[in-house]
Amino acid sequence: MPFLEHDGVTRELVAGDTMVGAGSQAGWRLQTINLAPRHFTVTVAADGAVSVAPYGTQMVEVNGATLSGPHVLEHGDEIIAGAGIFVYLARIDAPGPRISHPVPVQTDASEPAPPAPPARAPAPVSTPVPAPDAAAPRRAPAARAYLVDLSTGLAYPLADDTVGIGRDAVNHIVLKDAATSRFHADVHRAPTGAYVFRSMGANGSTLNDTPAGRTPRPLADGDTIRIGGSSLTFTTTPPPGTRVVAPREVAPGPRAPQPTPIYRSDEPNTVPPPVEHFAQRKKLLVITAAILVAVVILVALWLLRGARH
């Protein structure tokens, strides 16, 4: 049986149509990735072929290409809807491309290790121990690597497990370029600590002037990623003269919960039933009654005229 995977959740696709969206009428309901109430449909035909189609005018991409109608899926295809990425698996025992032996990223040797907390003598029983200050700001963990845009002089810290790159404003790194897809690529951190680059845009990307394709590629210090007209350099130490982008200046990313402007109602994530406006019905009743009254008056006048003769 075929499967559809999203953020580590694998769902088996049953025969027929499966509606994916944020509304109550969706067969697979997701509420956190900017989906419309009914966003796209995955169809499993009788012969086993699986296809995807956008619902109505909703925007859906497969491997970075925007769909205008049904599209037959192949194993490993990625469906981008809203800010979510779905992976089609023809078989559960045939996973998509993976990095078997990623190269770990070396940390900056010049960065001092955090000092060990000093040992404290046990306080006397009679002396109350002060409670920690809850309002004290917590220092965010330092990023182990960066993507540097030399044209703007900005260094984007790779502090999250997955950093989205694209034209959409919810990405961590926003590239305002017509040749860049809304969700063009991402860099994620493997469990071993290595950073892996994955291209998803229709116009493709290059890694060290070599087409990156759609297979995840491990990154090494000094590698250059080109997306559209932008170049990003992967490094563990920002070069002099660049400014490290603060966390407050970075969007939460395409995989984080986002408010959706597509649909709003008093009851969220539901599709309201058709509403018949009472004012229109009342107007129709009044017009009908007026016509009946006019007919009755005309008939009465005609009868009175005949009676006089």
Side-chain angles (χ1 to χ4, degrees):
M1 293 295 294
F3 298 84
L4 201 62
E5 181 186 33
H6 167 67
D7 271 354
V9 177
T10 303
R11 182 185 180 95
E12 184 176 2
L13 298 173
V14 298
D17 296 339
T18 299
M19 177 65 69
V20 181
S24 59
Q25 297 182 3
W28 190 2
R29 184 180 182 185
L30 302 167
Q31 306 178 20
T32 61
I33 54 174
N34 283 1
L35 288 179
R38 288 178 287 181
H39 206 110
F40 67 92
T41 304
V42 180
T43 303
V44 180
D47 59 357
V50 180
S51 60
V52 60
Y55 181 80
T57 59
Q58 301 302 331
M59 184 174 180
V60 179
E61 299 179 5
V62 173
N63 300 333
T66 304
L67 295 184
S68 57
H71 175 82
V72 178
L73 294 172
E74 297 181 358
H75 175 73
D77 282 351
E78 290 184 337
I79 304 170
I80 301 176
I85 301 175
F86 301 80
V87 180
Y88 169 68
L89 302 175
R91 303 179 311 278
I92 199 64
D93 59 343
R98 296 289 187 270
I99 299 300
S100 11
H101 301 288
V103 181
V105 175
Q106 301 296 328
T107 56
D108 186 5
S110 61
E111 182 178 356
R120 293 184 179 181
V125 177
S126 58
T127 304
V129 179
D133 186 5
R138 295 182 179 180
R139 183 178 179 183
R144 298 176 53 200
Y146 304 83
L147 284 179
V148 180
D149 188 345
L150 296 179
S151 62
T152 60
L154 298 178
Y156 297 92
L158 302 179
D160 293 335
D161 290 337
T162 301
V163 174
I165 308 170
R167 197 177 66 251
D168 197 284
V170 303
N171 288 284
H172 298 85
I173 302 176
V174 180
L175 303 178
K176 297 297 184 181
D177 190 341
T180 303
S181 302
R182 293 175 60 236
F183 306 100
H184 198 111
D186 61 24
V187 174
H188 67 273
R189 182 165 49 191
T192 57
Y195 288 89
V196 180
F197 170 73
R198 179 178 59 169
S199 176
M200 299 175 290
N203 296 327
S205 309
T206 63
L207 180 60
N208 297 332
D209 296 328
T210 302
R214 299 188 56 77
T215 302
R217 303 275 297 278
L219 292 173
D221 201 345
D223 284 350
T224 300
I225 300 169
R226 297 188 186 275
I227 299 176
S230 304
S231 297
L232 301 172
T233 302
F234 176 80
T235 179
T236 55
T237 305
T242 58
R243 182 178 70 87
V244 177
V245 178
R248 64 178 179 274
E249 303 177 57
V250 180
R255 293 180 182 270
Q258 301 290 334
T260 172
I262 299 175
Y263 178 77
R264 294 177 182 176
S265 70
D266 295 335
E267 184 180 5
N269 295 324
T270 58
V271 179
V275 177
E276 295 185 10
H277 297 285
F278 178 74
Q280 295 180 356
R281 298 180 59 187
K282 183 178 179 181
K283 183 178 179 181
L284 181 61
L285 291 174
V286 170
I287 294 175
T288 304
I291 293 174
L292 292 175
V293 171
V295 170
V296 170
I297 293 175
L298 290 175
V299 171
L301 291 176
W302 182 79
L303 292 175
L304 290 174
R305 183 179 178 183
R308 290 177 183 176
H309 293 288

